[in-house]
């Protein structure tokens, strides 16, 4: 059986890409000092302004750009893996990407599949949706990690595909915009994805006033085992394959499934 210490870093990315890189390095050092081996940052960590505008394309980067290089430097300095949101170059528009990086370089990429065209927002004005590719995963200390982004959380089939790919831990970087009942939706859906898949869910959000905050680490029974409130902060928790096995022994929900997810 294996254990993995994970941190969620709730912070407020800005329009300064250099400042965002510096803050990631700062948070990484603090989380690593707390024992974390996997450190998770929010969606749009590399660049963010509200409302979204043409500056996203102007400040986008390739996978080979400064942001991923800075993540690799921080990961190497502290012997950790970092997952963070990248505004990735994609022609006239951009992709809302997540990158997993360690000392060796890029380990996995995820591009947001469901864009936030809801609650009065139209993310698709600026963002190009990711392809429905086979999930990319990475193994850290005996646990398999997979990723989804923010609004993807409302579509349970996204998480199910990740679990079908062997994920023990679903990482959810987000910029979960505030609004009526939005905090309730966030916490409910995070718990639901954990419970229905008997997996850990690790979610990092932006703090208030734009995000709802409440970054959380949730166990396979849907219990929050570590979290942050509405301000910036870090939470660390230990994940265990033994805990997953124990839950699945009494609730073999994955074995009892009679449907499979087929991307359209």
């Amino acid at each position: 059986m294996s254990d993995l210490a994970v941190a969620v870093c709730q912070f407020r990315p800005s329009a300064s890409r250099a400042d965002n890189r510096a803050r990631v390095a700062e948070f990484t050092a603090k989380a690593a000092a707390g024992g974390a081996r996997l450190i998770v940052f929010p969606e749009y960590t590399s660049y963010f302004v509200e409302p979204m505008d043409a500056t996203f394309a102007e400040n986008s980067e390739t996978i080979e750009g400064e942001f991923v290089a800075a993540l690799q430097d921080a990961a190497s300095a502290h012997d950790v893996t970092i997952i963070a949101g990248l505004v990735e170059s994609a022609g006239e528009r951009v992709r809302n990407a997540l990158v997993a990086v360690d000392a060796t370089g890029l380990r996995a990429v995820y591009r947001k599949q469901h864009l936030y065209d809801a609650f009065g927002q139209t993310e698709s004005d600026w963002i190009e949706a990711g392809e429905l590719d086979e999930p990319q995963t990475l193994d850290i200390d005996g646990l398999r990690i997979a990723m989804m982004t923010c609004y993807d959380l409302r579509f349970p089939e996204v998480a199910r595909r990740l679990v079908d790919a062997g994920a023990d831990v679903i990482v959810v970087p987000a910029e979960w915009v505030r609004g009526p009942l939005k905090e309730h939706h966030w916490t409910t859906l995070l718990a639901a994805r954990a419970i229905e898949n008997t997996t850990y869910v690790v979610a990092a959000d932006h703090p208030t006033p734009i995000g709802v905050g409440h970054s959380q680490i949730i166990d396979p029974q849907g219990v929050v085992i570590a979290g942050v409130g509405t301000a910036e902060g870090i939470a660390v928790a230990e994940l265990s394959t033994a805990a997953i096995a124990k839950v699945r022994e009494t609730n073999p929900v994955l074995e009892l499934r009679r449907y499979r997810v087929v991307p359209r």
Side-chain angles (χ1 to χ4, degrees):
M1 296 296 180
S2 301
D3 296 324
L4 172 66
V6 175
V8 286
C9 296
Q10 182 167 289
F11 95 107
R12 185 177 293 106
S14 72
S16 170
R17 290 155 55 197
D19 184 60
N20 292 337
R21 294 193 300 268
R23 300 213 65 208
V24 165
E26 173 190 345
F27 273 98
T28 297
K30 291 179 180 178
R37 295 268 298 136
L38 170 63
I39 301 172
V40 179
F41 289 89
E43 179 183 21
Y44 292 125
T45 293
S46 69
Y47 178 83
F48 187 72
V49 293
E50 173 62 31
M52 299 182 75
D53 58 24
T55 64
F56 274 75
E58 296 165 7
N59 287 276
S60 63
E61 301 183 31
T62 67
I63 295 294
E64 294 75 26
E66 292 179 311
F67 183 71
V68 173
L71 294 186
Q72 184 175 355
D73 288 344
S76 179
H78 301 284
D79 189 26
V80 297
T81 301
I82 300 172
I83 293 176
L86 167 68
V87 180
E88 183 189 14
S89 300
E92 294 182 1
R93 295 196 291 173
V94 299
R95 296 188 187 95
N96 185 341
L98 302 178
V99 291
V101 180
D102 66 11
T104 67
L106 188 69
R107 294 284 307 278
V109 180
Y110 176 79
R111 296 176 176 92
K112 189 174 187 180
Q113 295 175 353
H114 296 90
L115 301 182
Y116 186 52
D117 289 0
F119 297 93
Q121 306 283 326
T122 51
E123 189 178 30
S124 63
D125 285 348
W126 313 103
I127 307 295
E128 176 182 290
E131 297 295 328
L132 301 181
D133 299 327
E134 287 300 309
Q136 295 187 28
T137 64
L138 63 152
D139 294 341
I140 308 173
D141 295 349
L143 283 91
R144 179 158 294 178
I145 316 298
M147 302 177 285
M148 68 164 70
T149 312
C150 199
Y151 194 57
D152 287 324
L153 184 64
R154 294 183 180 272
F155 301 86
E157 57 270 24
V158 179
R160 187 52 56 85
R161 288 190 78 217
L162 300 182
V163 173
D164 285 348
D168 303 303
V169 182
I170 297 174
V171 171
V172 190
E175 198 289 286
W176 198 266
V177 180
R178 294 185 75 190
L181 296 177
K182 293 294 291 300
E183 179 182 317
H184 171 64
H185 291 184
W186 170 246
T187 55
T188 299
L189 291 168
L190 289 173
R193 300 296 87 85
I195 292 167
E196 70 197 8
N197 292 295
T198 56
T199 58
Y200 286 99
V201 172
V202 177
D205 192 24
H206 290 214
T208 58
I210 296 176
V212 300
H214 295 287
S215 299
Q216 299 179 352
I217 302 171
I218 301 168
D219 78 5
Q221 296 191 89
V223 176
V224 177
I225 56 176
V228 185
T230 57
E232 293 191 333
I234 299 172
V236 181
E238 195 87 11
L239 314 188
S240 167
T241 55
I244 297 172
K246 183 177 180 180
V247 171
R248 291 179 178 176
E249 182 179 350
T250 56
N251 181 23
V253 61
L254 298 179
E255 295 179 16
L256 298 175
R257 286 170 50 205
R258 300 182 65 189
Y259 297 87
R260 65 187 179 95
V261 175
V262 180
R264 68 178 185 179

